[in-house]
Amino acid sequence: MTSYSLRSVTNDETGSADVSGWSIGSADLEGFVRATRLGSGKGRTYVLTYDVFGANGATGSCAVMVRVPHDQGRGK
């Protein structure tokens, strides 16, 4: 049986206060990320990185990106 654990949750705008509820080192799939981003930025990108452990002893990793795009509004 393959198992996995969350290694890290990072983002490209600010610090770790923008993520909460994640349990690093566990098979966690649920937590919170901030849905706002800097007004002058291109958008915020979060990266969740997991370590994967195969039943045959193989290991690997994978990453999932979550993007909060820049507001495309026209100043409504």
Side-chain angles (χ1 to χ4, degrees), residues 42-64:
K42 64 184 183 324
R44 180 187 308 249
T45 301
Y46 293 93
V47 178
L48 289 76
T49 304
Y50 289 88
D51 292 317
V52 182
F53 312 97
N56 62 356
T59 61
S61 65
C62 67
V64 177

Side-chain angles (χ1 to χ4, degrees), residues 15-32:
S16 62
D18 291 331
V19 298
S20 66
W22 299 97
S23 182
I24 303 298
S26 72
D28 198 354
L29 296 174
E30 295 183 26
F32 300 95

